[in-house]
Amino acid sequence: SDGSIRLHQMTSEYPLLQWNDSTNGQPVIALQWALTRPAVFFVLDASSNIYIWDLLENDLLPVAKQAIPSDNVVTMAVLGEPEKTTGLLGIALAKESGLIDIQYVKKKWALP
């Protein structure tokens, strides 16, 4: 609810990494790992901002942020085929109006 993100290992109750205020205080609505690149994950906040984290590139801050200003995004799902090396990775965004928007991710964050 405060925008913090924690990375846990299943064998410990304490986080391996923690990013406080990672969404400028906005609640985290959804977090999804990339299906084609294990070090990448996506965060959706309550203000309809999507943050892309690539832990191999930067483990302190997101590598990109995309605002979706026209319609509130209520949830997201990551799309991709991990068994293929095409680097095709997308995010399905469900908007408050009922529309579904598909955004494709740059290859540098999608390739294995």
Side-chain angles (χ1 to χ4, degrees), residues 83-98:
E83 63 278 355
K84 294 187 179 178
T85 58
T86 59
L88 186 62
L89 181 66
I91 305 172
L93 305 172
K95 298 186 175 184
E96 198 170 57
S97 65

Side-chain angles (χ1 to χ4, degrees), residues 33 48 74 84:
W33 285 98
S48 297
V74 294
K84 294 187 179 178

Side-chain angles (χ1 to χ4, degrees), residues 3-109:
S4 297
I5 299 171
R6 294 171 196 82
L7 177 65
H8 284 268
Q9 184 175 1
M10 296 297 289
T11 58
S12 174
E13 66 182 277
Y14 302 105
L16 295 173
L17 291 169
Q18 180 169 329
W19 300 278
N20 294 323
D21 199 33
S22 63
T23 58
N24 297 319
Q26 291 295 314
V28 172
I29 302 299
L31 188 148
Q32 296 274 313
W33 285 98
L35 300 173
T36 58
R37 188 175 171 104
V40 172
F41 63 93
F42 305 92
V43 175
L44 170 66
D45 74 12
S47 293
S48 297
N49 295 304
I50 298 172
Y51 303 84
I52 301 175
W53 289 76
D54 183 346
L55 298 178
L56 296 178
E57 187 177 327
N58 187 342
D59 64 358
L60 299 175
L61 298 168
V63 293
K65 176 184 172 184
Q66 176 68 48
I68 313 292
S70 59
D71 192 358
N72 272 348
V73 179
V74 294
T75 194
M76 71 175 180
V78 176
L79 313 167
E81 297 178 295
E83 63 278 355
K84 294 187 179 178
T85 58
T86 59
L88 186 62
L89 181 66
I91 305 172
L93 305 172
K95 298 186 175 184
E96 198 170 57
S97 65
L99 294 174
I100 303 292
D101 187 18
I102 306 290
Q103 301 275 332
Y104 287 97
V105 177
K106 289 183 180 179
K107 292 243 187 228
K108 69 179 184 175
W109 297 311

